[in-house]
Amino acid sequence: EITSLLSLYGGQFSSEQEIRVNSPFWILSIPSEDMARGLMKRTVCAKSIFELWGHGRSAGELYGSLKSYPVDKMLPYLQSDSTYKVHIHTFNKTLTQAQKIKKIDALEFLPFKGKVNLKNPEHIFWILEDYGMDPNNVPEEPFQLYFGRWVHGQRELIESYSVKKRHFIGNTSMDACLSFIMANHGRVKPNDLVYDPFVGTGGLLISSAHFGAYVCGTDIDYNTIHGLGKASRKNQKWRGPDENIRANLRQYGLEKYYLDALVSDSSRPIWRRGMLFDAIITDPPYGIREATRRTGSQKETVKSAERSTENHISVSSSYHLSDIFFDLLKFAAEYLVMGGRLVYWLPIYRPEYTEEIIPRHPCLKLISNCEQMLSSHTSRRLITMEKVKEFKDQDQNSYLLDGQYLPYRGHNSFREKYFSGVTKRIAKEEKDNQK
C-alpha cells in the first residue's frame, strides 16, 4: 500500500536504510510535508508519519545523528512562545516511567526553548525504539532508535466507514479497512473511473468514491443490484425499499460519484470495445456464501432458475473458478487504460500454493501479491496488476505457463484442477465454521 501511494504522491524508500519487511518503522524520502500529509490521509496500514531528525543503532549514534541535523530546520518548532511534549514509543518492549523520563532527559542538548504542555502541545516529538519482532527474545537494547517531529496520523478512516454502521450490506460485504487498502493499491485518484464487475452491495465502490473517483459496477444477481430479497443483517427478514448501493453512497455524502450498477454477467462484457477504466477493483465470488455462476441457456445444464419479485428469470450455469480469473484478466487487459490497475482477491490452499498458479496475461504486469490468512490451511492473496501493453486480438485467449503465453483451452486449463480443490476446501471450512 505504501509503495503504491508513494508512486501516486511522489517519494521513495530511503537509500539510507535496508528495508526489513517485518520492521515496524520505515524511512521514506518525501519531497514535502504536504505530500507526506496527503499520503497519511489515505493510508490505513501506517499509523503516523514523522519528520526524521536523527536515528541510529544505539543511543550514542542517535545523539550524534541529532547533533548533525541542521539547527535551522529545528528552530521553527523550538521557539520560546511555542509548546511541546516528547512521547516515547517502544515496539515489543514496555518501559517503566522512570526509564522513559531518563531517556527524555538525555535529550537536553537539543535547543528546546518552549514550554512543556502534555495535554495540548503545538509540537509533539517522538522517540521510537525497535526491539524486534520476537516477544520471547526481547533484547536489552533496541536494534534501532529514531527521533522526529510528529507530522500526521490516520486511524479515523476505518471507523467512520465501518460495515456495522452501513445501510446496505450482504453476507460477504468487504471490510472497510481492506476496501481502502484495495483502492490504494489501485492508485485511485480524483476523477478516475473505477469499475467492479462483481459489485455485490457496492462496498468497494465506497472507498474509491471517497478518494474522488466516479464508480460503477455490474453483478449477475438481480436481487442484490435492486436491493430485493432476504436481508443479511441480524434480526431483519427482508431488505427495505431504500436498501441499495446508491443509498450507501448517499449515507457517506458520495452519491455524486455514483454512475450506476447494472445486472450483467462478467463473462460476457456489455461494454463497447476500447480503454475505459482507470482501475478495476473487485472481489470475485468463491465459497458457499457467494456462488460462482454465469448466464446460461436452456441447452446448457441448468444449475438454478431464480425468480425475483419483479418476475425476472435468471438462468445460470456453473462457472469454474479458474475461468472467473481468466475472464477477469482478459477483461482488464482490454478495458483498462494504459497504466491502469487491476486489484482482486485470489483464494489459496496454502499447502499446495506456488507462484505458478497466479493467473497472468501478456498485457498485465504483476505489481504485488499480499497474503491474508483465513485459516491454518486457506488464505487469500490480494493481487495487484498494472496494464503495460496495448491489448491486441492475439492476446484474446492466452495464459502464462512455464514462462510462455499459450492459448487458453477452457476447462483443460492447468489451473482448473487447483482452483476446483480450493473451492471445495473453502466450502468445507465455511460449513465447519457455521456448525
Side-chain angles (χ1 to χ4, degrees):
E1 186 206 43
I2 300 297
T3 303
S4 295
L5 291 177
L6 286 173
S7 68
L8 184 62
Y9 281 91
Q12 59 188 1
F13 287 103
S14 173
S15 58
E16 294 181 42
Q17 177 188 10
E18 180 183 349
I19 300 300
R20 291 185 293 123
V21 174
N22 292 325
S23 173
F25 306 111
W26 283 354
I27 299 179
L28 308 177
S29 178
I30 301 178
S32 71
E33 187 170 315
D34 287 341
M35 288 184 180
R37 291 179 182 275
L39 185 150
M40 285 307 301
K41 286 178 180 178
R42 291 193 52 150
T43 178
V44 293
C45 291
K47 291 184 177 180
S48 289
I49 194 163
F50 308 86
E51 181 184 63
L52 185 63
W53 287 14
H55 65 100
R57 281 176 276 186
S58 66
E61 280 190 21
L62 172 63
Y63 302 151
S65 178
L66 284 171
K67 289 174 182 178
S68 64
Y69 189 75
V71 177
D72 60 314
K73 291 186 177 181
M74 293 184 182
L75 289 180
Y77 310 102
L78 306 178
Q79 297 299 316
S80 57
D81 59 347
S82 66
T83 58
Y84 74 95
K85 78 171 182 178
V86 179
H87 184 85
I88 295 182
H89 175 74
T90 54
F91 187 85
N92 198 31
K93 189 171 185 176
T94 302
L95 300 180
T96 65
Q97 190 62 24
Q99 288 173 315
K100 291 181 179 180
I101 293 174
K102 184 178 178 180
K103 289 178 181 289
I104 293 173
D105 289 342
L107 297 173
E108 61 182 4
F109 62 87
L110 291 174
F112 289 109
K113 297 179 181 179
K115 295 181 180 180
V116 174
N117 184 332
L118 300 180
K119 291 186 177 180
N120 188 29
E122 291 180 57
H123 310 298
I124 307 175
F125 302 93
W126 285 56
I127 301 172
L128 306 166
E129 298 186 348
D130 179 8
Y131 287 86
M133 301 293 294
D134 186 358
N136 299 316
N137 187 24
V138 181
E140 283 295 320
E141 298 296 328
F143 294 121
Q144 284 281 346
L145 300 93
Y146 309 88
F147 180 86
R149 177 178 64 90
W150 183 85
V151 173
H152 200 277
Q154 169 65 283
R155 302 304 288 173
E156 300 83 15
L157 196 60
I158 304 168
E159 181 62 27
S160 59
Y161 282 90
S162 172
V163 174
K164 295 178 182 179
K165 303 174 184 177
R166 191 166 298 167
H167 192 64
F168 178 46
I169 62 170
N171 290 334
T172 55
S173 292
M174 183 63 66
D175 172 78
C177 176
L178 296 177
S179 178
F180 279 103
I181 288 175
M182 293 177 74
N184 285 333
H185 275 239
R187 298 194 300 190
V188 174
K189 58 187 183 299
N191 298 320
D192 275 357
L193 179 57
V194 178
Y195 173 64
D196 183 354
F198 304 98
V199 71
T201 55
L204 295 179
L205 301 186
I206 293 172
S207 55
S208 293
H210 173 83
F211 294 136
Y214 293 94
V215 296
C216 60
T218 58
D219 202 285
I220 197 172
D221 192 317
Y222 181 94
N223 285 352
T224 301
I225 289 292
H226 290 277
L228 304 172
K230 292 185 178 180
S232 299
R233 202 179 300 277
K234 189 178 180 181
N235 300 325
Q236 181 182 341
K237 191 171 183 181
W238 301 100
R239 288 173 175 149
D242 59 343
E243 285 192 55
N244 51 59
I245 297 173
R246 182 183 293 274
N248 274 352
L249 283 112
R250 186 186 303 122
Q251 176 183 350
Y252 300 112
L254 303 172
E255 187 177 2
K256 65 180 179 179
Y257 297 111
Y258 179 57
L259 300 181
D260 211 344
L262 313 174
V263 179
S264 172
D265 179 2
S266 64
S267 69
R268 293 174 169 84
I270 58 176
W271 309 98
R272 64 174 173 82
R273 297 194 68 176
M275 297 181 291
L276 293 175
F277 304 111
D278 296 285
I280 297 172
I281 300 175
T282 191
D283 181 27
Y286 47 84
I288 59 174
R289 291 183 299 168
E290 268 188 301
T292 57
R293 57 193 179 95
R294 59 181 168 188
T295 54
S297 67
Q298 298 297 339
K299 295 180 180 178
E300 296 173 323
T301 303
V302 177
K303 182 181 179 182
S304 65
E306 300 177 354
R307 185 181 300 271
S308 76
T309 56
E310 297 292 327
N311 295 323
H312 172 85
I313 299 176
S314 170
V315 180
S316 60
S317 61
S318 61
Y319 195 11
H320 292 268
L321 198 57
S322 58
D323 287 341
I324 288 180
F325 296 118
F326 169 74
D327 288 340
L328 178 61
L329 264 65
K330 183 175 66 173
F331 179 87
E334 184 171 1
Y335 289 95
L336 276 176
V337 301
M338 190 60 64
R341 288 194 169 186
L342 165 67
V343 184
Y344 70 95
W345 289 100
L346 182 74
I348 293 298
Y349 182 63
R350 301 186 79 237
E352 297 178 5
Y353 168 75
T354 66
E355 289 277 343
E356 290 183 357
I357 66 95
I358 298 174
R360 303 292 182 96
H361 192 280
C363 297
L364 303 173
K365 176 184 177 182
L366 180 65
I367 299 296
S368 66
N369 173 7
C370 310
E371 184 179 31
Q372 183 197 21
M373 295 284 292
L374 299 177
S375 71
S376 59
H377 290 88
T378 60
S379 68
R380 58 181 180 176
R381 304 188 82 92
L382 184 60
I383 306 298
T384 303
M385 309 186 87
E386 186 173 310
K387 185 172 179 178
V388 294
K389 177 177 175 281
E390 292 285 356
F391 182 85
K392 298 180 180 179
D393 289 339
Q394 56 263 38
D395 300 320
Q396 185 73 22
N397 296 298
S398 59
Y399 70 98
L400 184 68
L401 178 60
D402 297 331
Q404 296 184 15
Y405 286 98
L406 305 174
Y408 181 81
R409 304 188 186 284
H411 299 317
N412 294 322
S413 168
F414 78 107
R415 293 188 182 90
E416 184 196 340
K417 182 178 179 182
Y418 173 84
F419 283 119
S420 295
V422 169
T423 306
K424 291 176 182 177
R425 292 182 183 100
I426 291 177
K428 183 179 183 301
E429 291 200 8
E430 285 182 346
K431 285 181 179 177
D432 293 341
N433 290 338
Q434 287 178 352
K435 290 178 182 178

